[in-house]
Amino acid sequence: MLGFQEGKLMASVNVSRFESAFQPKDSLRLFETVTLDNGQFLNTRKYPWNPKIQYGIDGMLRYRLSDSVSFTYQYRQFDETVSIFGAKQRERFKPYAFDEFYNTKRQDHSFSVEAYLSPTLYFNSTTAYNQYDREKIVERYDFEEDTIGNLFNEQDTTLFTSFLHRSIFSTTTEKKLNGQFGVELLHETGAGERISTDENIVGNGGAAMTNFAGWLGLQYEPIDNLTLQGNLRYGYNTNYEHPLIPSFHLAYKFRKN
């Protein structure tokens, strides 16, 4: 991890790599027959482990405009490849095996604003975008020729995206009663072989959903150590009905510890 701060600007970055391959590839192709307690036989992997390689990067950039206003941008990326090596087929005549590889890539962007608009009014806003991409690749490995061929009819790609914006205004007085008001927008899309399409088409096939919501909250402290909080949330969803959702929270601090 590396970070620095210069005046009102602060930045940090963290890079990681993880690899796990506890057995040789040939060992991961071995199967064995196990006898169950009921007398039945089960053909299972001798070493049930799927090797994986992971890469990650996290970055943050924050600028403090003043003592009461700050802006923060964060970025995260995660890449992973999981390998599943198939059993050797037809060992005596041109043996082969089907291997599966799952490549996952996830990216997260977020931008947030924190500000005290007045000594008693606090504002917090977050805008985020997320992308999740998962690709399945199936290959046929021929041992004698030492060649690899792709099985294109077995390939699959799944893609999800989401966009979120949330803004919250809160009062921060020393009085017994404080309030909160918030709005939220969430838009999600999904596409892939196993995702059914509807009237909300994404690209050449997929589905989409959008949700708008707003809520009001009140927090009351009638006595020391006792906090009562009530919320009321209502929204609109493009795919299903969004009910009016009330909630109530109670917190009491019995002792100092």
Side-chain angles (χ1 to χ4, degrees), residues 191-241:
E193 293 293 332
R194 295 179 293 174
I195 299 177
S196 61
T197 61
D198 54 20
E199 65 273 10
N200 300 301
I201 299 300
V202 180
N204 294 325
M209 181 173 66
T210 305
N211 193 81
F212 306 90
W215 67 91
L216 290 170
L218 291 176
Q219 182 174 293
Y220 181 60
E221 299 181 7
I223 59 175
D224 293 340
N225 301 333
L226 176 63
T227 302
L228 307 176
Q229 181 175 321
N231 295 284
L232 193 62
R233 178 186 176 99
Y234 181 73
Y236 168 78
N237 189 282
T238 56
N239 290 41
Y240 61 87
E241 294 184 2

Side-chain angles (χ1 to χ4, degrees), residues 71-243:
F71 306 93
T72 304
Y73 169 75
Q74 289 182 297
Y75 173 77
R76 290 183 178 181
Q77 180 169 327
F78 173 80
D79 294 354
E80 178 187 66
T81 298
V82 178
S83 305
I84 302 178
F85 298 107
K88 183 182 290 188
Q89 308 289 331
R90 203 174 55 191
E91 295 192 12
R92 296 185 179 181
F93 177 72
K94 294 186 177 181
Y96 65 92
F98 294 117
D99 300 330
E100 299 179 11
F101 302 94
Y102 294 87
N103 301 318
T104 302
K105 177 178 290 186
R106 186 172 65 238
Q107 296 186 65
D108 299 294
H109 303 264
S110 69
F111 178 76
S112 60
V113 180
E114 295 181 81
Y116 278 93
L117 304 180
S118 73
T120 60
L121 182 60
Y122 174 72
F123 171 73
N124 176 270
S125 175
T126 299
T127 302
Y129 177 77
N130 170 268
Q131 180 173 319
Y132 174 88
D133 189 356
R134 180 174 179 266
E135 180 186 29
K136 174 187 176 183
I137 300 175
V138 181
E139 297 178 347
R140 171 172 170 153
Y141 176 66
D142 291 287
F143 290 86
E144 290 185 1
E145 292 83 1
D146 193 22
T147 58
I148 297 175
N150 286 329
L151 302 182
F152 295 102
N153 59 332
E154 296 293 334
Q155 316 303 327
D156 182 23
T157 299
T158 303
L159 176 65
F160 292 99
T161 67
S162 67
F163 173 83
L164 170 70
H165 176 80
R166 180 187 295 123
S167 292
I168 303 174
F169 296 86
S170 306
T171 60
T172 58
T173 68
E174 296 182 357
K175 299 179 180 180
K176 293 184 177 182
L177 183 65
N178 279 285
Q180 184 182 93
F181 167 72
V183 292
E184 181 181 279
L185 165 65
L186 175 63
H187 179 71
E188 298 177 297
T189 67
E193 293 293 332
R194 295 179 293 174
I195 299 177
S196 61
T197 61
D198 54 20
E199 65 273 10
N200 300 301
I201 299 300
V202 180
N204 294 325
M209 181 173 66
T210 305
N211 193 81
F212 306 90
W215 67 91
L216 290 170
L218 291 176
Q219 182 174 293
Y220 181 60
E221 299 181 7
I223 59 175
D224 293 340
N225 301 333
L226 176 63
T227 302
L228 307 176
Q229 181 175 321
N231 295 284
L232 193 62
R233 178 186 176 99
Y234 181 73
Y236 168 78
N237 189 282
T238 56
N239 290 41
Y240 61 87
E241 294 184 2
H242 194 304

